[in-house]
Amino acid sequence: MNISKKSCILLVCALILILLGSILAGNYNAGSGATTVSRISFHGDHGTLSGLLYMPKDASASNPKPAIIVTHGYLNSAEMQDANAIELSRRGFVVLALDQYDHGHSDLDDSVYSDTSFFGVWLPFWQHSMNDAVQYMYDQAYVLKDAEGNGIIGIEGHSMGGFSTNVAVVMDEYQYAQSGVRKVYASLTEGADFSYSAFVGADVATADSMGGGRTMGKVAAQYDEFFFNDPTVTGGTVRHKDYVATDEAKLWLQQENPVANTWYETSDGGRRIIYQPPQTHPWNHFSKLTTGYAITFFQTAFADYSSMLTATDADNQIWQFKELFECVGLVGFVMLIIAIAGLLLDLPFFSKAKAAGPR
């Protein structure tokens, strides 16, 4: 039996790329050794939630840290929040990258689907996902609480995850009225206005009145294909947008003439900001600029706890290397398939499948 030297070389190269890509991608995913990343699952009030927990090496029950829950948009999974999870955790935050109900590794209880209409099926998973995750994280000993028992937890979501984040803030305020404890300290949404969260009561007026003095922000891309539309402007949704000029943004910022990328104090004692990067809706996931906004936002929001965190500049980002080496591993995987196919064709059983060259 003659084994092709070319296939053997390709096999070795493929295995090297897979091994190298996997090791280095894992290293950067863990913040170059700053964090430990693990898959966790837990029971929420509406099913089983799962996510990737990024735990700083010095976080523990005896040394609790501020925490941030980050989550994805519709038909995505926790891995879409890699950039935020990596960068925030290496700055000292405990980060949970959450799979929402019925996405990734998370499951929604069938009993929740009492209404089988489109909205009856579509609403429950994002309506409850972030709030249920907040309840879980608040109960963890490694998550910081203040002297009054309030949770030092930030929440962030993209697109549908942003709607879930909007709803979680309002739910937290309702729960505060009963318990006297706020579990959500700060919130940031990316690629999400109030158009869908309004279906479950979290419209802009409600969100504004129930801010509870929190630090809150929004990333509203100027070329977002879906949201941040001015109802007074015609011409579809695929166009340039200036969200801070809309009545919705003015109400939420409590300003007559707000400016993008500017902090404003609100009447409840909180602070709010709207970032407007020149990008599209999905590009929020893969943008150094938007990731920098998230870093800056949470560093500002948790400034009172800066001594527990790592003061790393927002431009110092390494998540791109994780993506790069995942690509290296993927190239190796494709090469592996080609190499194995070549080796199989060298076996006597498959050798007759080879076609002779052109005559």
Side-chain angles (χ1 to χ4, degrees):
M1 179 175 67
N2 295 319
I3 301 296
S4 167
K5 183 178 179 181
K6 182 185 294 184
S7 294
C8 290
I9 293 174
L10 188 62
L11 176 64
V12 171
C13 290
L15 293 174
I16 290 173
L17 289 179
I18 291 172
L19 186 62
L20 181 68
S22 299
I23 291 173
L24 291 176
N27 173 69
Y28 286 110
N29 190 48
S32 295
T35 62
T36 300
V37 184
S38 59
R39 167 69 60 177
I40 65 168
S41 294
F42 53 93
H43 292 292
D45 287 345
H46 301 84
T48 300
L49 284 168
S50 181
L52 296 170
L53 183 65
Y54 291 71
M55 183 76 76
K57 292 291 182 65
D58 61 342
S60 66
S62 59
N63 186 38
K65 294 265 198 167
I68 299 174
I69 305 168
V70 298
T71 195
H72 57 86
Y74 188 46
L75 302 181
N76 290 152
S77 64
E79 288 79 4
M80 292 299 287
Q81 286 288 321
D82 278 354
N84 287 334
I86 291 168
E87 296 304 333
L88 293 170
S89 62
R90 65 189 283 253
R91 286 164 174 80
F93 293 98
V94 173
V95 178
L96 173 63
L98 178 71
D99 284 333
Q100 294 196 53
Y101 287 123
D102 272 0
H103 288 68
H105 296 260
S106 297
D107 295 309
L108 188 67
D109 283 344
D110 292 338
S111 60
V112 177
Y113 289 120
S114 57
D115 179 358
T116 58
S117 67
F118 173 79
F119 284 106
V121 172
W122 185 69
L123 289 175
F125 52 82
W126 62 259
Q127 179 181 358
H128 300 292
S129 292
M130 183 63 86
N131 180 64
D132 287 359
V134 167
Q135 308 313 310
Y136 170 79
M137 289 298 282
Y138 178 82
D139 288 339
Q140 304 313 301
Y142 52 76
V143 174
L144 186 67
K145 290 86 177 173
D146 68 14
E148 287 74 42
N150 297 300
I152 311 303
I153 301 172
I155 56 177
E156 181 273 339
H158 179 265
S159 196
M160 183 184 71
F163 308 148
S164 195
T165 299
N166 287 337
V167 173
V169 172
V170 174
M171 286 184 174
D172 190 55
E173 198 63 11
Y174 279 123
Q175 292 156 6
Y176 165 75
Q178 300 297 319
S179 67
V181 170
R182 289 188 173 99
K183 298 178 182 179
V184 175
Y185 187 82
S187 73
L188 176 68
T189 65
E190 299 181 4
D193 52 24
F194 297 97
S195 55
Y196 283 97
S197 60
F199 292 160
V200 292
D203 58 17
V204 62
T206 303
D208 171 54
S209 64
M210 302 191 74
R214 297 173 181 84
T215 301
M216 299 193 289
K218 288 191 173 296
V219 175
Q222 295 178 38
Y223 299 96
D224 191 294
E225 301 92 324
F226 306 108
F227 307 111
F228 311 117
N229 300 295
D230 186 338
T232 66
V233 177
T234 59
T237 64
V238 182
R239 53 182 170 78
H240 179 265
K241 300 170 185 180
D242 183 18
Y243 181 58
V244 294
T246 65
D247 289 340
E248 180 175 282
K250 291 177 181 179
L251 173 57
W252 188 72
L253 290 173
Q254 300 182 8
Q255 298 291 318
E256 286 296 323
N257 297 291
V259 178
N261 303 354
T262 303
W263 284 99
Y264 293 103
E265 295 183 358
T266 51
S267 58
D268 59 9
R271 293 172 296 173
R272 300 178 192 173
I273 189 171
I274 293 175
Y275 302 101
Q276 291 194 171
Q279 57 193 226
T280 60
H281 183 82
W283 198 247
N284 294 163
H285 299 107
F286 314 109
S287 165
K288 180 178 181 180
L289 177 62
T290 296
T291 303
Y293 286 154
I295 294 167
T296 301
F297 173 83
F298 284 112
Q299 285 180 331
T300 302
F302 290 90
D304 289 345
Y305 302 94
S306 59
S307 62
M308 302 179 180
L309 305 171
T310 303
T312 304
D313 188 79
D315 288 333
N316 183 344
Q317 300 179 25
I318 64 171
W319 63 269
Q320 302 95 327
F321 296 108
K322 186 260 188 182
E323 305 295 342
L324 171 64
F325 287 109
E326 280 188 337
C327 182
V328 169
L330 180 61
V331 170
F333 178 72
V334 173
M335 291 171 60
L336 180 65
I337 295 173
I338 297 171
I340 291 175
L343 291 171
L344 288 174
L345 288 173
D346 289 333
L347 297 176
F349 183 80
F350 294 105
S351 59
K352 293 181 180 180
K354 289 183 179 180
R359 297 178 179 177

